Each structure stands twice: as structure tokens, then as C-alpha cells.
Amino acid sequence: QVQLVESGGGLVQAGGSLRLSCAASGSIFSINAMGWYRQAPGKQRELVAVITKDGSTHYADSVKGRFTVSRDYAKNTVYLLMNSLKPEETAVYYCNAHIATMTGPRGYVYDYWGQGTQVTVSS
């Protein structure tokens, strides 16, 4: 069983910065990708950023140039540095990871989610 635990959320003024962290633990064989989604009140969950095992990154157009996703491979941790935050980016931010476990079939990748961390950007 794998668990993802997010941290780093909180209240920040518009234009400020936050860094989110997500640590994966459990019966991990390998992590193919880790990323971040967010869900604002009344809106659908959307992809924010993802980083793959080879270091390739993908960002939502709305955050390009402001957010940076990175990984610490030794700690099974993904980070999201959010700069120049906007009030409309207030949301619960969820960590997501594609993980092959030590107990699962070889080559099968599970989709895991954290419980989310609240980010509130005040105007």
C-alpha cells in the first residue's frame, strides 16, 4: 500500500509564493510520474503540473512561467513551487503519482492520490 502526504499549503497574498511538497511512502517499486492537480470550489479538478521519471515536465498553460515542479528521487517526493500566485488559484491541491508497487503485477502502474492541501490566495 502506498500513501501520498501533501504539505506546504496555506494562506498567501496575491503575488506571493508557496512551495508544496508530496512524499510517497509504502511498498514502492518505482515511480513513473508525480504531479499536482487542483480543484477550486464549484470547478472540475485540473492538472497543474507533472514530472516523469526521466525529468520531463508538463504544465497547465495558466501556470507556465510561474510554477515549477521538481522531484527528489531519493525521498520519493515531488515539489511544486508556485510563484506570483493569483486569487483565482485558490484551491485544494492534490498530489498524484503513478507508482509500480512491490506487490502488484510487473509492469502495472497504480494511480495514487493524496488527500489534498488547501491553498488560499487573498487579494
Side-chain angles (χ1 to χ4, degrees):
Q1 183 171 329
V2 172
Q3 184 178 20
L4 304 180
V5 179
E6 302 104 331
S7 62
L11 176 65
V12 64
Q13 293 186 8
S17 299
L18 283 174
R19 191 177 79 152
L20 307 182
S21 300
C22 172
S25 62
S27 301
I28 298 170
F29 183 79
S30 64
I31 301 177
N32 286 0
M34 300 185 78
W36 295 90
Y37 288 74
R38 66 188 177 192
Q39 187 167 23
K43 297 183 65 177
Q44 298 292 322
R45 185 175 58 188
E46 64 176 350
L47 177 69
V48 177
V50 62
I51 184 167
T52 62
K53 185 166 58 178
D54 66 357
S56 299
T57 58
H58 173 77
Y59 298 92
D61 288 342
S62 62
V63 307
K64 286 181 178 177
R66 297 186 296 115
F67 290 13
T68 302
V69 63
S70 61
R71 278 183 63 176
D72 185 330
Y73 291 89
K75 296 181 178 180
N76 292 327
T77 299
V78 64
Y79 304 94
L80 183 67
L81 175 61
M82 304 182 292
N83 293 324
S84 302
L85 281 161
K86 304 173 181 179
E88 58 264 36
E89 292 173 317
T90 293
V92 177
Y93 284 69
Y94 295 93
C95 180
N96 173 257
H98 296 171
I99 297 174
T101 69
M102 289 186 285
T103 58
R106 177 160 52 92
Y108 187 83
V109 178
Y110 292 86
D111 192 19
Y112 288 95
W113 293 90
Q115 291 190 329
T117 184
Q118 177 70 46
V119 172
T120 302
V121 185
S122 62
S123 60

